[in-house]
Amino acid sequence: MNRLLFTTFIATLIVGCGEKSPPEINTKKASKAELQTYLDVNCQDKYRMHAFCVDASGELKSRNYIESLNKPGALGSTRSAEELFGKKK
């Protein structure tokens, strides 16, 4: 019985000493700067395709896309006929 406990303890130490996966992040509440920092710190090399990293990257891309649509003169933004064609009603 002691040998089994000792083996389990040693196996736990070996497995527990490996690299940790990236910490969880609430992407909906995090700011763009926090998302970018999270990606820079936690999502490099082998964790690039981890679920938390993919979620954070997708949220950052989505926010950047929405901001680009809201800029004046953006092609994808909703504009009035006056803006598009220079017509007056």
Side-chain angles (χ1 to χ4, degrees):
M1 187 66 175
N2 284 339
R3 187 174 285 193
L4 178 63
L5 289 174
F6 181 73
T7 305
T8 304
F9 177 71
I10 296 298
T12 304
L13 285 178
I14 291 171
V15 172
C17 292
E19 291 184 41
K20 303 288 183 198
S21 63
E24 190 171 354
I25 184 171
N26 186 344
T27 56
K28 300 298 179 191
K29 291 185 179 179
S31 67
K32 282 180 52 178
E34 290 171 335
L35 289 171
Q36 186 62 51
T37 303
Y38 179 85
L39 291 170
D40 291 341
V41 172
N42 297 307
C43 300
Q44 301 300 318
D45 300 326
K46 80 178 199 181
Y47 291 118
R48 183 167 288 165
M49 295 307 294
H50 191 276
F52 297 151
C53 294
V54 171
D55 190 31
S57 176
E59 182 68 23
L60 184 63
K61 287 177 186 176
S62 174
R63 289 186 189 181
N64 285 335
Y65 176 71
I66 290 169
E67 279 186 9
S68 71
L69 290 180
N70 291 332
K71 288 183 180 176
L75 292 176
S77 62
T78 305
R79 294 180 282 174
S80 65
E82 291 83 20
E83 280 184 297
L84 290 172
F85 305 111
K87 296 180 181 177
K88 294 189 179 189
K89 291 183 179 180

